[in-house]
Amino acid sequence: MTTPPNLPALLADERQRFLDQHPRSLALAQAAQQHFLFGVPLHWMRDWPTPATLFVREARGVTLTCADDLNHADFCLGDTGAMFGHSPAPLAQALAEQAARGLTCMLPAEHTPEVGTLLAETFGLPMWQMALTASDANRFVLRWARAITQRPQLLVFDGCYHGAVDDTLVDRDPINGATLRRPSVLGQVHNHHAFTRVVPFNDLAALEAALSDGQVACLLAEPALTNCGLVPPAPGFWEAAQALCQRFGTLLVMDETHTLSTARGGYAKAHGLAPDFFVAGKAVAGGLPCALYGFTAEVTERMRVAKDAAPEGHSGIGTTLAGNALTLAALRAALTHLHTEASYGHMLDLAGRLEQGLNHHIATHGLPWTVTRLGARMELQFMPHTPRDARDVVDHAQPELESFTHLFMLNRGVLLTPFHSMMLLSPSTQVADVDRLLAAFDALCVTLSPGQ
Ligand SMILES: Cc1ncc(COP(=O)(O)O)c(C=O)c1O
């Protein structure tokens, strides 16, 4: 039992403390209600545990200054979009220069070949296409995968999130393993779940069974689940899963949108895996709306054949602003100045310090919690072991404790993600930021320790 009986009262105190500290955010929240649904430009921005929306004055490096002029050490970093820090200087400069020279022409900018070379060197795949969001990139890859394999089915892991992609917004029935439409998804009308199979993560037998009829175009997966709680792959899982995909002619698509945190170039490259497609978005161009997908030479040939065989007309792949000049300028700056060994060296060093400090406080206070880390990102999990799959996470979920943790830390100047207490380190994060987080976390442990 890790939830103290007085948690509702503690949570009420923290909610009041937030309101006392943020009168201007509260006023802005009320004013924005007039013309924005739920008072925010994207309704997810209301899905934070704060009693009123936190409005931002500015964000630089890892300092987020709210409308009430309070500085927060940002470990949420826009849920990974700002993994390289807010407004990194080389990016701001590249944007300012390009902004005066054309934003979008539906023609490639002059520096396109140079960006291609940088992509191939950074991520290790030879060929590339651009999109504006990771959701779009995944959607386009699914279309290509079905087109080139002429197979209808998609395979994903239970607990996955690959963006607003209908085919992937499914759950696995824990009783019979059937694919279920995710009940929270609004306005679903199509039987997308008829073309999507779902298996538990880290389950090779289930994976083999799902692939064995040769109907699966691709396995779309994050190298570690990061969206239902951080679930790392078991040792040897990916080597075996990749071999199964090859055996059954299923393309392996690695969505590295979040696992870019692992190391320079992402998880697959760092672990010697060879996916057929690689997808990234969010932080890839430093937080500008930019996503991309890379693919092997063999896949390229199959894409050419599929495109040549199709009649003239819409391919259903691409959007008008994809690959625009502004985004490409940002991507060039990000690949040159942000995706560097120096950036990752700094991030991983600090992540080690943070992980050690969190574990120290957890042990000192005798709390049955776990820290699970993937490179520069980690999560505080209110369970005694590293989760094995999405079910394990669900079985140990403590939403009230998560909300309390988020608010408690925010009220002490430390911003975590609004869900499953994720902490991300950036090249701008300093030791002092980590120590600030650890001091607040120690206070949290004291508050929640048995016997308090
Ligand atoms: C692994 C993964 N892929 C894709 C996406 C979708 O990204 P976006 O919302 O930028 O389209 C997300 C978003 O959280 C994600 O975590």
Side-chain angles (χ1 to χ4, degrees), residues 44 79 132-136 138 161-164 222 226-227 255-259 279 281-282:
W44 306 352
D79 188 23
L132 287 176
T133 67
S135 300
D136 275 348
N138 282 322
Y161 184 69
H162 297 286
E222 289 189 274
T226 69
N227 281 290
D255 178 355
E256 297 245 30
T257 299
H258 279 177
T259 54
V279 174
K282 293 199 182 187

Side-chain angles (χ1 to χ4, degrees), residues 231-301:
V231 182
F237 173 72
W238 271 116
E239 289 72 14
Q242 179 173 273
L244 283 173
C245 287
Q246 285 163 356
R247 184 165 132 218
F248 293 110
T250 293
L251 299 169
L252 176 58
V253 183
M254 288 244 161
D255 178 355
E256 297 245 30
T257 299
H258 279 177
T259 54
L260 284 184
S261 68
T262 311
R264 180 174 183 268
Y267 182 99
K269 191 175 175 210
H271 289 82
L273 299 170
D276 299 286
F277 283 96
F278 164 102
V279 174
K282 293 199 182 187
V284 76
L288 259 271
C290 173
L292 36 85
Y293 52 102
F295 32 95
T296 62
E298 194 209 321
V299 166
T300 308
E301 224 17 71

Side-chain angles (χ1 to χ4, degrees), residues 102-109 112 318-326:
L103 304 178
T104 188
C105 308
M106 220 180 73
L107 283 170
T112 300
T319 55
T320 313
L321 298 183
N324 68 70
L326 190 71

Side-chain angles (χ1 to χ4, degrees), residues 34 75-76 99 112 187 201 224 232 238 263 267 349 351 369-370 395 403 429:
Q34 199 175 351
F75 289 84
C76 168
T112 300
F201 193 58
W238 271 116
Y267 182 99
D349 275 358
W369 301 345
T370 301
D395 288 347
S403 295
T429 312

Side-chain angles (χ1 to χ4, degrees), residues 36-48 53 161:
F36 282 104
L37 182 66
F38 308 123
V40 283
L42 169 63
H43 72 87
W44 306 352
M45 293 175 181
R46 260 322 286 136
D47 292 346
W48 292 59
T53 308
Y161 184 69

Side-chain angles (χ1 to χ4, degrees), residues 16-347:
Q16 190 55 51
R17 185 168 170 156
F18 178 91
L19 291 172
D20 293 344
Q21 286 181 358
H22 297 94
R24 180 147 167 77
S25 267
L26 186 58
L28 289 169
Q30 280 157 358
Q33 298 267 8
Q34 199 175 351
H35 296 297
F36 282 104
L37 182 66
F38 308 123
V40 283
L42 169 63
H43 72 87
W44 306 352
M45 293 175 181
R46 260 322 286 136
D47 292 346
W48 292 59
T50 49
T53 308
L54 183 71
F55 279 72
V56 179
R57 176 158 299 158
E58 70 169 46
R60 287 187 199 204
V62 292
T63 303
L64 185 149
T65 308
C66 71
D68 288 281
D69 238 350
L70 303 173
N71 286 340
H72 304 268
D74 191 358
F75 289 84
C76 168
L77 295 172
D79 188 23
T80 310
M83 182 179 79
F84 294 111
H86 294 288
S87 291
L91 199 71
Q93 189 185 334
L95 286 174
E97 282 167 17
Q98 186 62 43
R101 304 178 64 224
L103 304 178
T104 188
C105 308
M106 220 180 73
L107 283 170
E110 264 183 346
H111 46 261
T112 300
E114 183 193 342
V115 174
T117 305
L118 289 167
L119 285 171
E121 191 279 318
T122 307
F123 301 114
L125 278 164
M127 301 297 283
W128 294 89
Q129 286 285 274
M130 307 278 305
L132 287 176
T133 67
S135 300
D136 275 348
N138 282 322
R139 214 177 281 121
F140 302 153
V141 167
L142 291 187
R143 219 180 256 286
W144 279 118
R146 284 180 166 135
I148 68 181
T149 59
Q150 295 288 299
R151 295 179 178 187
Q153 295 287 338
L154 157 70
L155 182 61
V156 293
F157 289 117
D158 189 29
C160 74
Y161 184 69
H162 297 286
V165 182
D166 282 320
D167 299 76
T168 64
L169 291 166
V170 294
D171 290 328
R172 179 176 178 277
D173 189 324
I175 313 240
N176 60 15
T179 303
L180 302 172
R181 187 178 281 166
R182 202 166 279 178
S184 55
V185 175
L186 297 173
Q188 279 264 36
V189 290
H190 301 295
N191 279 343
H192 294 296
H193 56 288
F195 296 103
T196 305
R197 298 175 182 177
V198 198
V199 294
F201 193 58
N202 279 327
D203 185 338
L204 288 168
L207 183 63
E208 179 165 1
L211 294 176
S212 61
D213 67 357
Q215 289 301 299
V216 179
C218 69
L219 166 61
L220 170 59
E222 289 189 274
L225 296 183
T226 69
N227 281 290
C228 62
L230 187 52
V231 182
F237 173 72
W238 271 116
E239 289 72 14
Q242 179 173 273
L244 283 173
C245 287
Q246 285 163 356
R247 184 165 132 218
F248 293 110
T250 293
L251 299 169
L252 176 58
V253 183
M254 288 244 161
D255 178 355
E256 297 245 30
T257 299
H258 279 177
T259 54
L260 284 184
S261 68
T262 311
R264 180 174 183 268
Y267 182 99
K269 191 175 175 210
H271 289 82
L273 299 170
D276 299 286
F277 283 96
F278 164 102
V279 174
K282 293 199 182 187
V284 76
L288 259 271
C290 173
L292 36 85
Y293 52 102
F295 32 95
T296 62
E298 194 209 321
V299 166
T300 308
E301 224 17 71
R302 296 173 74 184
M303 289 162 80
R304 280 194 222 281
V305 171
K307 181 74 182 92
D308 287 349
E312 283 291 301
H314 296 133
S315 64
I317 295 173
T319 55
T320 313
L321 298 183
N324 68 70
L326 190 71
T327 307
L328 226 65
L331 184 57
R332 178 170 64 160
L335 292 167
T336 308
H337 301 286
L338 307 178
H339 292 263
T340 63
E341 292 297 353
S343 294
Y344 277 91
H346 178 86
M347 289 152 76

